[in-house]
Amino acid sequence: MKKDFYEILGVSKSSTQDEIKKAYRKVAMQFHPDKNPGDKASEEKFKEAAEAYEILNDSDKKAQYDRFGHNAFTGARGSGG
């Protein structure tokens, strides 16, 4: 199961775009592959942070994520009907 994007970046749902950006930069610097050569765990955390930032930095995607969680991007939202 995927970790919560807010948890990955250490921000809350009410965080501003600026706060999200600062949090991402901090996490990205901490786990950057150049700073942790050969460390697969750090590499995974870096990728998680990049994915979280991609979603949370886009207001439309963030709104979908807030509503549906990870299912918003997996096609598992259901068909309605």
Side-chain angles (χ1 to χ4, degrees), residues 51-66:
E51 182 183 15
Y53 181 67
E54 179 189 337
I55 301 301
L56 299 182
N57 194 46
D58 180 303
S59 57
D60 291 336
K61 289 180 182 177
K62 182 179 184 292
Q64 287 183 339
Y65 178 72
D66 288 349

Side-chain angles (χ1 to χ4, degrees), residues 39-74:
D39 185 342
K40 290 290 182 197
S42 288
E43 189 177 320
E44 281 306 309
K45 288 182 180 180
F46 180 77
K47 288 177 185 176
E48 282 180 344
E51 182 183 15
Y53 181 67
E54 179 189 337
I55 301 301
L56 299 182
N57 194 46
D58 180 303
S59 57
D60 291 336
K61 289 180 182 177
K62 182 179 184 292
Q64 287 183 339
Y65 178 72
D66 288 349
R67 189 165 178 198
F68 301 108
H70 291 289
N71 291 339
F73 309 103
T74 61

